[in-house]
Amino acid sequence: TTSLFPAAAACYSTLRSLPKSSTLPFGPSALNTELTFARTVGSQLATQSTQIRLASSQTQKDSGKVKEDSLYAQEEEFDEITDKIPVKPVTVVEGASYGIVIVVALGIAAAAAYAVFTELFMEAKEFTVFNVALERIKQDPRVTMRLGESSSITGYGSNARSRGARQRIRHKEYYGPDGQLHVAVNFFARGSKEVAEVHCDMYKDESGEWKYQYLYLEFGGQFPQRVIIEAP
């Protein structure tokens, strides 16, 4: 108690030193003296309490700093150990092998990107010829007389029930005697009345426009007929 609260210990010693037979004076002056003495003791006690709290806080900070320094020391020791591990140098053959692998990987990635681009943003040649030929047969009155109104005429790849098979257009690409690329397609045209099989062959001229090699329809059923729209 004496080491922690010196002011309280001093007050206690003063009270003990008073003789038992002595009596404390009473009155206003005696009361003021006691109040002053009490305030002094209380102030000293508050000061001592503040100092104890500050000392405890400083001790905690010092402990945290010691732990942090210990972690830094462990990290530096680990770095020194890893730095001493020998690294095998890369030979010329290994470097060339890595280069070849990287080039092949880039080539595969470029091919995949081109395939995705052409699939999403570029129309295949057979579909271009299919669309051009379908619009052409809708304008021929001989065709609309057999199939029905042009607004009812649709085209598809085959009579299969599968949607994927119906969307695939049978086609063939070849180079003619003039060296130009030809695209021949074969599909079905259905109207409100009948169904006909369409045969078309087109190529691009020097100006980049599609030209017909031939275009004709074959009707079956009770009245077979071949309607030639474009001929060589």
Side-chain angles (χ1 to χ4, degrees):
T1 303
T2 305
S3 60
L4 293 178
F5 303 101
C11 179
Y12 181 74
S13 300
T14 304
L15 294 176
R16 289 287 302 271
S17 63
L18 293 175
K20 295 182 179 179
S21 60
S22 61
T23 59
L24 295 174
F26 294 93
S29 60
L31 182 60
N32 290 334
T33 302
E34 293 176 356
L35 290 175
T36 301
F37 178 76
R39 291 193 189 100
T40 303
V41 173
S43 176
Q44 293 179 356
L45 290 175
T47 302
Q48 292 295 328
S49 177
T50 302
Q51 292 177 353
I52 292 172
R53 287 197 299 270
L54 291 175
S56 177
S57 176
Q58 184 64 31
T59 302
Q60 293 178 356
K61 291 181 179 179
D62 294 340
S63 177
K65 185 176 180 181
V66 170
K67 293 181 179 179
E68 186 176 359
D69 293 341
S70 177
L71 291 176
Y72 285 152
Q74 293 178 359
E75 291 179 358
E76 291 178 355
E77 183 179 358
F78 180 77
D79 292 339
E80 291 178 358
I81 294 174
T82 54
D83 291 340
K84 294 179 180 179
I85 298 176
V87 180
K88 182 181 178 181
V90 179
T91 62
V92 177
V93 176
E94 291 177 345
S97 302
Y98 294 152
I100 294 173
V101 171
I102 293 173
V103 171
V104 171
L106 291 176
I108 295 174
Y114 177 77
V116 172
F117 177 80
T118 53
E119 182 71 19
L120 296 178
F121 302 103
M122 296 181 64
E123 187 178 45
K125 298 181 183 67
E126 63 269 20
F127 286 103
T128 300
V129 174
F130 165 80
N131 291 326
V132 173
L134 184 62
E135 291 300 322
R136 178 68 180 85
I137 65 177
K138 288 180 180 181
Q139 299 172 4
D140 194 292
R142 296 171 297 173
V143 175
T144 56
M145 185 176 61
R146 293 290 303 262
L147 294 180
E149 296 181 359
S150 60
S151 59
S152 66
I153 299 176
T154 59
Y156 51 90
S158 67
N159 288 319
R161 295 183 178 181
S162 172
R163 182 178 180 182
R166 292 171 66 88
Q167 291 179 344
R168 286 193 295 269
I169 305 298
R170 290 177 292 176
H171 67 284
K172 180 179 68 174
E173 296 183 7
Y174 67 96
Y175 288 93
D178 52 3
Q180 294 174 327
L181 177 64
H182 288 245
V183 180
V185 298
N186 178 220
F187 62 94
F188 292 90
R190 178 185 294 275
S192 58
K193 298 179 181 179
E194 292 186 58
V195 177
E197 188 174 0
V198 182
H199 301 268
C200 180
D201 189 329
M202 300 187 73
Y203 63 92
K204 273 188 178 183
D205 61 6
E206 296 178 355
S207 63
E209 295 183 1
W210 286 100
K211 300 293 184 179
Y212 288 98
Q213 182 71 19
Y214 60 79
L215 173 61
Y216 64 91
L217 290 81
E218 289 186 339
F219 292 89
Q222 188 175 359
F223 302 99
Q225 181 186 7
R226 174 178 288 185
V227 177
I228 299 175
I229 300 176
E230 298 286 348

